[in-house]
Amino acid sequence: MTYFPFYVDISNQNCLVVGGGKIAYRKIKILLEFNVRIKIIAPGISRQIYDLESEINKKHLKKIIIIDREFEDGDIDDTDFVIAATDNEHLNSHISRLCKRNNKMVNVVDVKEECSFIFPAIIKMKEMVVGISTGGNSPAMAAQIKKEIQKNIPDYYGELIEFLGENRDYIKSEVSDSGDRKKVYDELIELANLHKGNITGQDLVDIVNKYKMKLNSDVL
Ligand SMILES: C[C@@]1(CC(=O)O)C2=NC(=C\c3[nH]c(c(CCC(=O)O)c3CC(=O)O)Cc3[nH]c(c(CC(=O)O)c3CCC(=O)O)/C=C3\N/C(=C\2)[C@@H](CCC(=O)O)[C@]3(C)CC(=O)O)/[C@H]1CCC(=O)O
Ligand SMILES: NC(=O)c1ccc[n+]([C@@H]2O[C@H](COP(=O)([O-])OP(=O)(O)OC[C@H]3O[C@@H](n4cnc5c(N)ncnc54)[C@H](O)[C@@H]3O)[C@@H](O)[C@H]2O)c1
């Protein structure tokens, strides 16, 4: 199956993770980068997850809640989406059916047919996010492609994107022609790449002024 990459705002949503082993830990680490609140329910929770809980909750009170017991159906009630990450395939299937009946998005870590969404391999640099999916055919290949893409993305891109985002309204207000604006962005990106991401507010003003002056001379 081919999956469509919706980019969804899940910040401050409540996620239930059933299971507290290696795979649960991996999914939790990813979700934390997207500012999700996480409740973990399992009778056996790994040391790694407890360590993560104390580290995260020091900074963000109650971002992670751990409940050390077996899953019960009512656990899905106050959640926005669910990850079934136990090593019990019957239980994982049951959670999937329950979620689908109750219109909750669900990811089952070991059966893609039971998922209503799947995790891609993710490259995240500030607000830039690349997601790679193989349609569930080969997660190992998704991980490999991620490494190949990572090698080709300079480490300053996250900051550069943030800088461009912060100045977008300014550029829009100063350069009214959309064709010229595209040239401003292209020149800024080219200059930033030339200087390995070191671009200043003055560089921005200079490029913007060049196009403002061009517009004035066009009018005259
Ligand atoms: C991308 C990534 C995201 C993440 O989980 O973080 C991810 N799996 C990753 C790694 C990985 N997973 C597995 C291996 C061992 C090698 C191999 O089997 O290939 C490796 C490689 C490794 O560990 O390096 C085993 C595995 N995975 C699934 C099954 C069951 C099945 O296929 O049905 C089994 C067999 C279990 C068993 O045999 O017991 C299922 C899924 N795994 C997915 C995502 C979804 C499809 C994504 C896509 O469209 O490609 C999907 C459908 C559901 C989901 O989990 O959301 C992450 C790389 C992250 C990164 O590197 O950044
Ligand atoms: N999607 C992926 O990328 C991927 C990769 C490898 C493995 N898997 C699959 O993921 C599953 C989990 O793997 P793991 O390595 O994290 O296993 P694990 O043994 O480390 O953890 C299993 C967890 O399930 C919990 N559990 C068992 N019964 C429970 C219940 N009734 N209620 C709540 N929790 C319960 C256990 O307490 C434990 O925390 C396996 O079935 C494996 O096939 C998926």
Side-chain angles (χ1 to χ4, degrees):
M1 202 206 299
T2 317
Y3 292 81
F4 184 81
F6 279 112
Y7 277 64
V8 184
D9 177 8
I10 57 170
S11 54
N12 291 316
Q13 287 207 358
N14 294 306
C15 170
L16 169 66
V17 177
V18 188
K22 285 188 297 296
I23 302 299
Y25 175 75
R26 190 168 84 206
K27 303 289 188 194
I28 292 165
K29 285 272 284 185
I30 295 168
L31 291 171
L32 284 172
E33 288 192 49
F34 294 84
N35 205 22
V36 171
R37 296 172 194 284
I38 298 169
K39 189 191 279 179
I40 305 151
I41 299 182
I45 293 188
S46 71
R47 184 76 259 151
Q48 264 186 323
I49 293 181
Y50 276 113
D51 288 348
L52 190 64
E53 181 218 20
S54 49
E55 182 196 325
I56 296 292
N57 285 356
K58 249 184 246 158
K59 287 180 258 165
H60 311 276
L61 198 64
K62 294 202 170 155
K63 195 107 210 160
I64 300 183
I65 295 171
I66 292 181
I67 302 177
D68 186 353
R69 63 158 166 78
E70 294 205 348
F71 170 79
E72 293 164 11
D73 287 2
D75 292 333
I76 72 160
D77 289 350
D78 56 352
T79 63
D80 296 304
F81 64 101
V82 177
I83 317 282
T86 80
D87 54 358
N88 177 335
E89 64 179 276
H90 299 294
L91 176 60
N92 287 348
S93 289
H94 169 74
I95 294 169
S96 169
R97 285 193 301 273
L98 190 66
C99 287
K100 286 178 179 174
R101 268 206 309 276
N102 287 279
N103 290 320
K104 307 259 182 199
M105 297 281 281
V106 62
N107 174 269
V108 180
V109 291
D110 51 4
V111 192
K112 93 171 174 192
E113 290 72 19
E114 292 178 350
C115 295
S116 48
F117 71 96
I118 60 172
F119 279 63
I122 294 173
I123 302 169
K124 182 174 183 301
M125 296 165 93
K126 291 190 175 268
E127 291 186 22
M128 187 214 67
V129 177
V130 179
I132 303 129
S133 168
T134 64
N137 286 296
S138 173
M141 194 60 197
Q144 171 62 27
I145 296 167
K146 168 177 160 173
K147 284 189 202 138
E148 287 167 21
I149 296 176
Q150 255 166 340
K151 274 188 228 148
N152 290 295
I153 303 181
D155 56 8
Y156 55 82
Y157 267 21
E159 263 106 43
L160 177 57
I161 289 164
E162 192 173 62
F163 175 82
L164 293 171
E166 280 164 3
N167 288 293
R168 210 153 156 233
D169 285 345
Y170 164 70
I171 296 170
K172 229 183 234 175
S173 68
E174 296 291 314
V175 183
S176 52
D177 180 76
S178 64
D180 282 347
R181 269 204 308 273
K182 163 99 175 62
K183 289 181 195 151
V184 170
Y185 293 126
D186 288 348
E187 280 194 33
L188 275 167
I189 293 165
E190 200 183 320
L191 189 70
N193 280 330
L194 201 65
H195 297 293
K196 297 205 170 353
N198 288 317
I199 189 166
T200 63
Q202 189 56 51
D203 292 328
L204 170 73
V205 172
D206 290 347
I207 293 176
V208 163
N209 282 344
K210 196 169 97 184
Y211 282 91
K212 274 172 70 178
M213 269 145 65
K214 176 184 164 292
L215 183 71
N216 289 341
S217 65
D218 285 350
V219 171
L220 291 175

